[in-house]
Amino acid sequence: ETDTIEPKGVDLSLYRRIKDAESFLHPFFERCAYMTTVKSLSREMKFFLLALIPIYFISVGLIIQPFDSIVTGIYEIIWEPDFLITDYIAVGGMGAAFVNAGMMALISIYFVYSLGMEMDGHTITSCCLMFGFSLFGKNLMNIWAIFLGVFLYAKYHKMHLSNYIYVGIYGTSLSPIITQLMHVVELPIWQRFCVTILVGICIGFVLPPLATHSHYAHKGYSLYNVGFASGIIATVLVSTFKSFGIETEARLIWSSGNDAMLLGLLFVLFAGMSVVAVLWRGKDTLLGYEKLLATTGIGGTDYLLELGGAVTLLNMGLNGLFATFFVLAVGGNLNGPTIGGIFTIVGFSATGKHLRNIFPIMAGVCIASTVRAWDITNPSALLALLFSTTLAPIAGEFGILCGVLAGFLHASVALNVGIVYGGMNLYNNGFAGGIVAMFLVPVIQSIRDRRARAKGDLSL
């Protein structure tokens, strides 16, 4: 069933008052300007500047939707089943969706900061992913059981939680399972709650070892490594649920009609990031960005540590602008899910993605849409277009043609593989990307190196 819904709880007359928000958001721009005068940032300042991204959207959300309507909207977001595709802008209103996403991102930042960790590329990536997916699947209630499972895993192995916190943040991709169990299991509510918590703890407990081993399968050529591990877990769990008669139906809740406003918000943010980055380090930023474009982006890359904050910020801003306008250029909508895809590209701009290695992948998806029985503006295809950039390292390592081929194949896999877990893994494209990388990379490597020979009992 398809529901195309206008956002609830938004006073459309307020759209014309966005310019009035400039004074409300003045501290954000003031802090950005302060960055240009500082050469070395303290740990506290780095985390504060990262927090300005969710603060920006929380501020906008409070402006465009009445507060009591935001509270009601967040309540609806929490209790709405949120397996793919559920647009929180349609469910609770744009303001509620922004506040929910902003608060979730701030929680992620606080976790990393409170553990005494230094900021690196994964801090940025995890924050942006938490924000993006909290527009269509993660909320203030359905993440905690998974975090508890990761915490217990760290305690069991007598390791500091900082070793697994990023896995925990990424692993909340399975949070729709938590919400769904509270709705479909025919038990008294307290028993449903206990079952839900137990399942969430199990998910969090098995995620760290699976994420570690799944990396060896695709060797870093798919950036959404936890998404691949989450797909395996979701497949096992959903298959088990079906054995007990617990079924889920496909859904599509997708808002439209907000392109102009959302474009303005995203353009201000990403253009501002780009300008601040150039002003911050000047010519050094541009020279560093040139070096960044020469990298492959394979898993394990950290641009923040390798090239610095200014270069990383410029890459994030440019990639954000590119992804935003690409969505509009192909005729897509800007809404919760597509902004989630855009912020995934922006987040991974700190750990592997750049214009040179994401464009061939996205071009491959577009080419696939011209020769197959689906349109690129179809919601699932549009998300595949954005999230296909998990395969950016293939284009970075093997060139444009291989990148186009990877995107071409990814489109088919991503649009069909989700059926095995009923949309319960928000990182559907991470699972699909892992499969494509495992299939494609060995073939490319064997063709590229004609002198390759089998070793041991393995064969090409």
Side-chain angles (χ1 to χ4, degrees):
E1 185 178 354
T2 301
D3 300 319
T4 301
I5 306 175
E6 295 296 331
K8 298 187 298 183
V10 177
D11 183 358
L12 297 181
S13 67
L14 292 178
Y15 279 41
R16 296 187 296 272
R17 294 170 52 192
I18 290 300
K19 290 185 177 180
D20 295 338
E22 292 179 358
S23 59
F24 188 80
L25 299 173
H26 179 70
F28 169 80
F29 299 107
E30 189 177 57
R31 285 289 182 176
C32 290
Y34 172 71
M35 277 180 56
T36 65
T37 66
V38 178
K39 295 301 181 182
S40 179
L41 300 176
S42 66
R43 175 175 178 269
E44 290 74 17
M45 180 59 71
K46 291 177 183 177
F47 279 92
F48 176 78
L49 291 173
L50 180 59
L52 286 178
I53 295 176
I55 289 172
Y56 171 74
F57 283 98
I58 290 174
S59 302
V60 171
L62 293 172
I63 292 171
I64 65 175
Q65 188 172 347
F67 183 78
D68 57 345
S69 178
I70 288 176
V71 174
T72 302
I74 291 178
Y75 177 83
E76 293 175 351
I77 285 171
I78 289 173
W79 286 107
E80 178 75 19
D82 40 32
F83 50 93
L84 293 174
I85 301 172
T86 303
D87 184 352
Y88 283 168
I89 291 179
V91 172
M94 190 180 297
F98 282 165
V99 171
N100 176 71
M103 292 177 67
M104 294 283 284
L106 290 176
I107 288 171
S108 300
I109 295 170
Y110 174 75
F111 279 165
V112 177
Y113 180 81
S114 64
L115 290 171
M117 302 168 63
E118 292 293 332
M119 180 178 289
D120 60 13
H122 284 289
T123 312
I124 297 173
T125 302
S126 61
C127 168
C128 290
L129 257 67
M130 185 64 90
F131 175 84
F133 281 93
S134 296
L135 292 171
F136 71 113
K138 301 180 184 182
N139 59 57
L140 293 167
M141 290 297 294
N142 64 11
I143 63 170
W144 301 107
I146 296 174
F147 274 127
L148 179 57
V150 174
F151 172 78
L152 292 177
Y153 180 86
K155 285 293 184 182
Y156 177 78
H157 288 277
K158 298 180 180 180
M159 299 288 288
H160 196 270
L161 183 58
S162 60
N163 293 291
Y164 305 109
I165 187 61
Y166 292 129
V167 173
I169 293 173
Y170 296 140
T172 53
S173 63
L174 294 171
S175 55
I177 293 176
I178 306 301
T179 306
Q180 190 65 13
L181 284 175
M182 287 296 295
H183 283 84
V184 301
V185 179
E186 296 181 359
L187 293 171
I189 188 168
W190 70 269
Q191 293 182 7
R192 273 183 283 164
F193 180 78
C194 292
V195 170
T196 299
I197 295 299
L198 180 61
V199 171
I201 291 173
C202 291
I203 290 172
F205 196 87
V206 302
L207 258 174
L210 275 178
T212 298
H213 287 279
S214 63
H215 182 270
Y216 295 107
H218 55 74
K219 297 182 179 179
Y221 285 97
S222 175
L223 293 175
Y224 307 162
N225 180 57
V226 176
F228 184 60
S230 296
I232 296 172
I233 296 173
T235 301
V236 172
L237 284 177
V238 172
S239 299
T240 303
F241 294 161
K242 289 181 178 180
S243 299
F244 287 94
I246 302 174
E247 299 276 354
T248 59
E249 298 180 1
R251 60 158 28 186
L252 175 60
I253 299 179
W254 186 266
S255 65
S256 60
N258 306 302
D259 293 352
M261 181 178 185
L262 293 174
L263 173 61
L265 295 175
L266 295 177
F267 180 82
V268 168
L269 177 64
F270 297 141
M273 292 165 66
S274 302
V275 171
V276 168
V278 175
L279 293 177
W280 186 5
R281 296 288 185 179
K283 184 179 179 180
D284 290 342
T285 300
L286 300 178
L287 292 175
Y289 183 67
E290 186 178 356
K291 294 179 181 178
L292 184 148
L293 291 176
T295 64
T296 63
I298 197 166
T301 299
D302 191 328
Y303 294 138
L304 185 63
L305 297 181
E306 295 169 8
L307 297 169
V311 176
T312 303
L313 188 64
L314 177 62
N315 192 44
M316 292 170 63
L318 293 179
N319 285 354
L321 290 171
F322 172 78
T324 301
F325 284 106
F326 204 110
V327 169
L328 296 176
V330 299
N333 299 123
L334 290 177
N335 53 26
T338 54
I339 293 177
I342 291 168
F343 265 88
T344 299
I345 292 177
V346 171
F348 276 96
S349 298
T351 52
K353 295 184 182 180
H354 51 71
L355 293 177
R356 190 178 66 83
N357 66 9
I358 65 173
F359 176 73
I361 306 294
M362 297 174 74
V365 176
C366 290
I367 292 172
S369 72
T370 64
V371 297
R372 297 183 183 165
W374 45 266
D375 190 87
I376 194 65
T377 58
N378 177 280
S380 296
L382 201 58
L383 294 185
L385 172 67
L386 292 166
F387 291 111
S388 65
T389 51
T390 180
L391 297 170
I394 293 180
E397 174 73 20
F398 303 113
I400 294 175
L401 292 180
C402 290
V404 171
L405 176 60
F408 190 93
L409 294 175
H410 178 89
S412 294
V413 177
L415 292 178
N416 290 283
V417 76
I419 193 172
V420 301
Y421 43 71
M424 290 297 179
N425 176 25
L426 293 176
Y427 301 166
N428 175 61
N429 284 267
F431 187 53
I435 294 174
V436 173
M438 290 170 59
F439 166 78
L440 191 58
V441 171
V443 175
I444 294 174
Q445 289 177 332
S446 66
I447 294 174
R448 188 177 68 166
D449 187 358
R450 293 181 296 175
R451 296 173 298 176
R453 293 291 184 267
K455 295 183 179 180
D457 295 327
L458 300 178
S459 64
L460 295 175

